[in-house]
Amino acid sequence: MSLLAAAGLVKEFGGLRAIDGLSLSIEAGELVGVIGPNGAGKSTLFNCVTGVVTPDEGTVTYDGTEVTGDPPDALARRGLVRTFQSTRELETMTVRDNVRLAAPDQPGERTVDALLRTESMQTTERAVRTRADELLETFELDHLADEYSGTLSGGQRKLLELARTLMLDPDVLMLDEPFAGVNPTLTGDIAEHIRELNANGMTVVIIEHELETLTELVDRLVVLRQGRVLVDGEPEDVLADDRVIEAYLGGGA
Ligand code: ADP
Ligand code: MG
């Protein structure tokens, strides 16, 4: 059975069918790219799968159970985690705190533990600090750890968002345009990190508008057009497909 599957999804906004009978399965360990013209329904697909919006029709199955419409935090606790197209870190907080506070089960939220400063709380705090520092180093943000996030470049924000997401220790990582607004060097770095996470067993699904980086990175490309899957296959085959060329050149939206 697939790790993650959408079956017959439909999502309308007013009269507009953003997702129009879409089915897609992701196997454990895959590295999949989702592409398609602006407005094709890529972000809405992610929103339906991760509980940000509830589909009008169809089901989402994750790790053996139906999770259609389950809230994002419940799915995140089960290992299904996504990023957003626009970054959501708190600009008036430091980079380090942004990463630390992304951890689930913040000790401070458990009031009794916090009041008593129990040993378990101190252990959790220490683990969170250590993991946050590791991620800051991995994403070359350690020299910016004490800066306010608002001072970061667009590319550095993407790295911060990825670091925050990884604090949740996902099994499935869904990235919405992780390379948008990122310079070529950082794009290469992010792609390298994604490749490594996948090599270590994480299932990754990436939406991207720009094709070049993605095509080199993924094992499989899914092309959406007008809320449906247009083509699904190996990157070289997909990019050579006349329907894909037409969808991009013809606008497709
Ligand atoms: P993509 O990510 O492929 O560019 P989206 O999934 O963001 O496309 O959007 C698909 C269509 O659905 C677009 O026409 C968009 O305007 C519309 N849409 C998406 N989200 C909403 C929403 N919350 N309210 C109204 N329309 C929306
Ligand atoms: Mg989008």
mmCIF file with all atom_site columns, all heavy atoms in Angstrom, residues 42-43 85 176-177, ligand 2:
data_model
loop_
_atom_site.group_PDB
_atom_site.id
_atom_site.type_symbol
_atom_site.label_atom_id
_atom_site.label_alt_id
_atom_site.label_comp_id
_atom_site.label_asym_id
_atom_site.label_entity_id
_atom_site.label_seq_id
_atom_site.pdbx_PDB_ins_code
_atom_site.Cartn_x
_atom_site.Cartn_y
_atom_site.Cartn_z
_atom_site.occupancy
_atom_site.B_iso_or_equiv
_atom_site.pdbx_formal_charge
_atom_site.auth_seq_id
_atom_site.auth_comp_id
_atom_site.auth_asym_id
_atom_site.auth_atom_id
_atom_site.pdbx_PDB_model_num
ATOM   1  N  N   . LYS A 1 42  ? -1.504 23.030 -7.660  1.00 0.00 ? 42  LYS A N   1
ATOM   2  C  CA  . LYS A 1 42  ? -0.429 22.383 -6.910  1.00 0.00 ? 42  LYS A CA  1
ATOM   3  C  C   . LYS A 1 42  ? -0.546 22.665 -5.404  1.00 0.00 ? 42  LYS A C   1
ATOM   4  O  O   . LYS A 1 42  ? -0.548 21.738 -4.598  1.00 0.00 ? 42  LYS A O   1
ATOM   5  C  CB  . LYS A 1 42  ? 0.941  22.850 -7.441  1.00 0.00 ? 42  LYS A CB  1
ATOM   6  C  CG  . LYS A 1 42  ? 1.150  22.603 -8.929  1.00 0.00 ? 42  LYS A CG  1
ATOM   7  C  CD  . LYS A 1 42  ? 2.508  23.067 -9.419  1.00 0.00 ? 42  LYS A CD  1
ATOM   8  C  CE  . LYS A 1 42  ? 2.785  24.555 -9.312  1.00 0.00 ? 42  LYS A CE  1
ATOM   9  N  NZ  . LYS A 1 42  ? 1.948  25.398 -10.193 1.00 0.00 ? 42  LYS A NZ  1
ATOM   10 N  N   . SER A 1 43  ? -0.626 23.943 -5.064  1.00 0.00 ? 43  SER A N   1
ATOM   11 C  CA  . SER A 1 43  ? -0.702 24.285 -3.635  1.00 0.00 ? 43  SER A CA  1
ATOM   12 C  C   . SER A 1 43  ? -2.005 23.774 -3.024  1.00 0.00 ? 43  SER A C   1
ATOM   13 O  O   . SER A 1 43  ? -2.025 23.328 -1.868  1.00 0.00 ? 43  SER A O   1
ATOM   14 C  CB  . SER A 1 43  ? -0.599 25.807 -3.434  1.00 0.00 ? 43  SER A CB  1
ATOM   15 O  OG  . SER A 1 43  ? 0.685  26.265 -3.810  1.00 0.00 ? 43  SER A OG  1
ATOM   16 N  N   . GLN A 1 85  ? 4.163  28.085 0.582   1.00 0.00 ? 85  GLN A N   1
ATOM   17 C  CA  . GLN A 1 85  ? 4.790  28.803 -0.522  1.00 0.00 ? 85  GLN A CA  1
ATOM   18 C  C   . GLN A 1 85  ? 5.416  30.112 -0.020  1.00 0.00 ? 85  GLN A C   1
ATOM   19 O  O   . GLN A 1 85  ? 6.511  30.467 -0.423  1.00 0.00 ? 85  GLN A O   1
ATOM   20 C  CB  . GLN A 1 85  ? 3.726  29.092 -1.591  1.00 0.00 ? 85  GLN A CB  1
ATOM   21 C  CG  . GLN A 1 85  ? 4.293  29.562 -2.909  1.00 0.00 ? 85  GLN A CG  1
ATOM   22 C  CD  . GLN A 1 85  ? 3.242  29.515 -4.019  1.00 0.00 ? 85  GLN A CD  1
ATOM   23 O  OE1 . GLN A 1 85  ? 2.195  28.874 -3.891  1.00 0.00 ? 85  GLN A OE1 1
ATOM   24 N  NE2 . GLN A 1 85  ? 3.525  30.184 -5.101  1.00 0.00 ? 85  GLN A NE2 1
ATOM   25 N  N   . ASP A 1 176 ? 6.521  23.324 -0.669  1.00 0.00 ? 176 ASP A N   1
ATOM   26 C  CA  . ASP A 1 176 ? 5.866  24.148 -1.689  1.00 0.00 ? 176 ASP A CA  1
ATOM   27 C  C   . ASP A 1 176 ? 6.829  25.239 -2.151  1.00 0.00 ? 176 ASP A C   1
ATOM   28 O  O   . ASP A 1 176 ? 7.066  26.206 -1.443  1.00 0.00 ? 176 ASP A O   1
ATOM   29 C  CB  . ASP A 1 176 ? 4.570  24.750 -1.136  1.00 0.00 ? 176 ASP A CB  1
ATOM   30 C  CG  . ASP A 1 176 ? 3.664  25.266 -2.260  1.00 0.00 ? 176 ASP A CG  1
ATOM   31 O  OD1 . ASP A 1 176 ? 4.136  25.374 -3.415  1.00 0.00 ? 176 ASP A OD1 1
ATOM   32 O  OD2 . ASP A 1 176 ? 2.486  25.554 -1.968  1.00 0.00 ? 176 ASP A OD2 1
ATOM   33 N  N   . GLU A 1 177 ? 7.385  25.032 -3.326  1.00 0.00 ? 177 GLU A N   1
ATOM   34 C  CA  . GLU A 1 177 ? 8.319  25.966 -3.968  1.00 0.00 ? 177 GLU A CA  1
ATOM   35 C  C   . GLU A 1 177 ? 9.492  26.353 -3.073  1.00 0.00 ? 177 GLU A C   1
ATOM   36 O  O   . GLU A 1 177 ? 9.708  27.527 -2.784  1.00 0.00 ? 177 GLU A O   1
ATOM   37 C  CB  . GLU A 1 177 ? 7.560  27.213 -4.449  1.00 0.00 ? 177 GLU A CB  1
ATOM   38 C  CG  . GLU A 1 177 ? 6.453  26.854 -5.436  1.00 0.00 ? 177 GLU A CG  1
ATOM   39 C  CD  . GLU A 1 177 ? 6.064  28.012 -6.357  1.00 0.00 ? 177 GLU A CD  1
ATOM   40 O  OE1 . GLU A 1 177 ? 6.802  29.009 -6.403  1.00 0.00 ? 177 GLU A OE1 1
ATOM   41 O  OE2 . GLU A 1 177 ? 5.036  27.888 -7.027  1.00 0.00 ? 177 GLU A OE2 1
HETATM 42 MG MG  . MG  B 2 .   ? 1.208  27.354 -5.536  1.00 0.00 ? 2   MG  B MG  1
#
